[in-house]
Tab-separated table of all heavy atoms in Angstrom:
chain	number	residue	atom	x	y	z
E	1	GLU	N	0.836	-1.205	0.000
E	1	GLU	CA	0.000	0.000	0.000
E	1	GLU	C	0.870	1.255	0.000
E	1	GLU	O	0.620	2.197	-0.763
E	1	GLU	CB	-0.927	0.001	1.211
E	1	GLU	CG	-1.857	1.213	1.249
E	1	GLU	CD	-2.817	1.180	2.430
E	1	GLU	OE1	-2.826	0.170	3.158
E	1	GLU	OE2	-3.555	2.164	2.622
E	2	GLU	N	1.901	1.266	0.833
E	2	GLU	CA	2.798	2.419	0.898
E	2	GLU	C	3.632	2.549	-0.373
E	2	GLU	O	3.802	3.646	-0.913
E	2	GLU	CB	3.712	2.274	2.110
E	2	GLU	CG	4.677	3.438	2.293
E	2	GLU	CD	5.572	3.234	3.515
E	2	GLU	OE1	5.413	2.218	4.205
E	2	GLU	OE2	6.426	4.092	3.767
E	3	ALA	N	4.145	1.409	-0.866
E	3	ALA	CA	5.025	1.455	-2.036
E	3	ALA	C	4.281	1.807	-3.319
E	3	ALA	O	4.841	2.446	-4.219
E	3	ALA	CB	5.730	0.105	-2.201
E	4	LEU	N	3.007	1.365	-3.421
E	4	LEU	CA	2.243	1.607	-4.646
E	4	LEU	C	1.480	2.926	-4.616
E	4	LEU	O	0.814	3.269	-5.600
E	4	LEU	CB	1.250	0.460	-4.879
E	4	LEU	CG	1.855	-0.898	-5.278
E	4	LEU	CD1	0.770	-1.961	-5.321
E	4	LEU	CD2	2.553	-0.804	-6.619
E	5	ALA	N	1.549	3.653	-3.495
E	5	ALA	CA	0.766	4.888	-3.364
E	5	ALA	C	1.049	5.891	-4.487
E	5	ALA	O	0.112	6.460	-5.065
E	5	ALA	CB	1.005	5.525	-2.003
E	6	PRO	N	2.338	6.142	-4.875
E	6	PRO	CA	2.569	7.102	-5.964
E	6	PRO	C	1.949	6.670	-7.284
E	6	PRO	O	1.380	7.497	-8.012
E	6	PRO	CB	4.106	7.158	-6.052
E	6	PRO	CG	4.593	6.729	-4.724
E	6	PRO	CD	3.618	5.698	-4.262
E	7	VAL	N	2.051	5.369	-7.605
E	7	VAL	CA	1.480	4.883	-8.870
E	7	VAL	C	-0.038	4.985	-8.845
E	7	VAL	O	-0.660	5.385	-9.834
E	7	VAL	CB	1.931	3.433	-9.134
E	7	VAL	CG1	1.184	2.839	-10.324
E	7	VAL	CG2	3.424	3.392	-9.397
E	8	LYS	N	-0.652	4.628	-7.718
E	8	LYS	CA	-2.113	4.706	-7.633
E	8	LYS	C	-2.591	6.152	-7.742
E	8	LYS	O	-3.630	6.425	-8.348
E	8	LYS	CB	-2.596	4.068	-6.320
E	8	LYS	CG	-2.416	2.548	-6.287
E	8	LYS	CD	-3.004	1.958	-5.030
E	8	LYS	CE	-2.849	0.443	-5.015
E	8	LYS	NZ	-3.624	-0.190	-6.119
E	9	ALA	N	-1.824	7.070	-7.138
E	9	ALA	CA	-2.199	8.483	-7.251
E	9	ALA	C	-2.098	8.945	-8.700
E	9	ALA	O	-2.951	9.690	-9.199
E	9	ALA	CB	-1.303	9.330	-6.349
E	10	LEU	N	-1.029	8.521	-9.395
E	10	LEU	CA	-0.872	8.877	-10.800
E	10	LEU	C	-2.008	8.294	-11.640
E	10	LEU	O	-2.563	8.970	-12.512
E	10	LEU	CB	0.484	8.363	-11.309
E	10	LEU	CG	0.796	8.642	-12.790
E	10	LEU	CD1	0.855	10.145	-13.050
E	10	LEU	CD2	2.124	7.994	-13.178
E	11	ASN	N	-2.371	7.038	-11.372
E	11	ASN	CA	-3.477	6.422	-12.106
E	11	ASN	C	-4.794	7.141	-11.831
E	11	ASN	O	-5.637	7.275	-12.724
E	11	ASN	CB	-3.606	4.945	-11.726
E	11	ASN	CG	-2.498	4.100	-12.326
E	11	ASN	OD1	-1.811	4.555	-13.240
E	11	ASN	ND2	-2.309	2.889	-11.826
E	12	GLN	N	-4.957	7.604	-10.590
E	12	GLN	CA	-6.195	8.323	-10.258
E	12	GLN	C	-6.270	9.623	-11.048
E	12	GLN	O	-7.333	9.978	-11.581
E	12	GLN	CB	-6.225	8.618	-8.741
E	12	GLN	CG	-7.507	9.281	-8.251
E	12	GLN	CD	-8.714	8.374	-8.384
E	12	GLN	OE1	-8.579	7.162	-8.328
E	12	GLN	NE2	-9.890	8.950	-8.585
E	13	ARG	N	-5.132	10.323	-11.162
E	13	ARG	CA	-5.130	11.558	-11.957
E	13	ARG	C	-5.386	11.262	-13.432
E	13	ARG	O	-6.067	12.030	-14.121
E	13	ARG	CB	-3.787	12.280	-11.771
E	13	ARG	CG	-3.582	12.853	-10.380
E	13	ARG	CD	-2.414	13.831	-10.350
E	13	ARG	NE	-1.151	13.182	-10.625
E	13	ARG	CZ	-0.373	12.638	-9.680
E	13	ARG	NH1	-0.754	12.670	-8.409
E	13	ARG	NH2	0.788	12.093	-10.010
E	14	SER	N	-4.841	10.142	-13.918
E	14	SER	CA	-5.087	9.762	-15.318
E	14	SER	C	-6.557	9.475	-15.548
E	14	SER	O	-7.117	9.836	-16.597
E	14	SER	CB	-4.242	8.529	-15.682
E	14	SER	OG	-2.867	8.802	-15.554
E	15	LEU	N	-7.205	8.831	-14.577
E	15	LEU	CA	-8.648	8.556	-14.709
E	15	LEU	C	-9.450	9.851	-14.754
E	15	LEU	O	-10.396	9.973	-15.541
E	15	LEU	CB	-9.115	7.683	-13.539
E	15	LEU	CG	-8.727	6.197	-13.587
E	15	LEU	CD1	-9.121	5.505	-12.289
E	15	LEU	CD2	-9.399	5.507	-14.771
E	16	LEU	N	-9.047	10.799	-13.913
E	16	LEU	CA	-9.770	12.073	-13.908
E	16	LEU	C	-9.598	12.807	-15.234
E	16	LEU	O	-10.565	13.378	-15.776
E	16	LEU	CB	-9.274	12.947	-12.754
E	16	LEU	CG	-9.614	12.438	-11.344
E	16	LEU	CD1	-8.984	13.323	-10.280
E	16	LEU	CD2	-11.140	12.396	-11.154
E	17	ARG	N	-8.358	12.769	-15.782
E	17	ARG	CA	-8.131	13.414	-17.079
E	17	ARG	C	-8.916	12.712	-18.187
E	17	ARG	O	-9.486	13.365	-19.060
E	17	ARG	CB	-6.630	13.423	-17.400
E	17	ARG	CG	-5.827	14.410	-16.594
E	17	ARG	CD	-4.463	14.670	-17.222
E	17	ARG	NE	-3.636	13.484	-17.224
E	17	ARG	CZ	-2.758	13.175	-16.262
E	17	ARG	NH1	-2.633	13.970	-15.210
E	17	ARG	NH2	-2.021	12.094	-16.347
E	18	ALA	N	-8.924	11.364	-18.120
E	18	ALA	CA	-9.672	10.620	-19.137
E	18	ALA	C	-11.161	10.914	-19.037
E	18	ALA	O	-11.863	11.018	-20.052
E	18	ALA	CB	-9.413	9.120	-18.976
E	19	LEU	N	-11.659	11.056	-17.806
E	19	LEU	CA	-13.067	11.376	-17.620
E	19	LEU	C	-13.384	12.752	-18.186
E	19	LEU	O	-14.430	12.956	-18.835
E	19	LEU	CB	-13.399	11.327	-16.122
E	19	LEU	CG	-14.866	11.587	-15.745
E	19	LEU	CD1	-15.774	10.540	-16.377
E	19	LEU	CD2	-15.034	11.572	-14.227
E	20	LEU	N	-12.445	13.697	-17.983
E	20	LEU	CA	-12.633	15.035	-18.534
E	20	LEU	C	-12.645	14.994	-20.055
E	20	LEU	O	-13.523	15.594	-20.700
E	20	LEU	CB	-11.519	15.955	-18.031
E	20	LEU	CG	-11.496	17.373	-18.623
E	20	LEU	CD1	-12.796	18.105	-18.287
E	20	LEU	CD2	-10.288	18.140	-18.122
E	21	LEU	N	-11.685	14.266	-20.643
E	21	LEU	CA	-11.628	14.164	-22.100
E	21	LEU	C	-12.869	13.466	-22.653
E	21	LEU	O	-13.406	13.858	-23.695
E	21	LEU	CB	-10.361	13.405	-22.521
E	21	LEU	CG	-9.042	14.151	-22.330
E	21	LEU	CD1	-7.871	13.225	-22.605
E	21	LEU	CD2	-8.977	15.379	-23.235
E	22	SER	N	-13.317	12.414	-21.954
E	22	SER	CA	-14.515	11.711	-22.407
E	22	SER	C	-15.732	12.623	-22.363
E	22	SER	O	-16.559	12.624	-23.283
E	22	SER	CB	-14.755	10.471	-21.536
E	22	SER	OG	-13.671	9.570	-21.625
E	23	SER	N	-15.811	13.398	-21.282
E	23	SER	CA	-16.934	14.329	-21.173
E	23	SER	C	-16.904	15.360	-22.303
E	23	SER	O	-17.940	15.672	-22.913
E	23	SER	CB	-16.895	15.028	-19.817
E	23	SER	OG	-16.974	14.088	-18.772
E	24	LEU	N	-15.698	15.866	-22.593
E	24	LEU	CA	-15.578	16.836	-23.680
E	24	LEU	C	-15.964	16.223	-25.017
E	24	LEU	O	-16.629	16.865	-25.847
E	24	LEU	CB	-14.147	17.360	-23.741
E	24	LEU	CG	-13.679	18.232	-22.560
E	24	LEU	CD1	-12.196	18.519	-22.679
E	24	LEU	CD2	-14.479	19.521	-22.516
């Protein structure tokens, strides 16, 4: 959980960007 936290945070930001692009 501690070691993967940076990758999961990056993936979460990617999901938000993808959601924004999909909405657009």
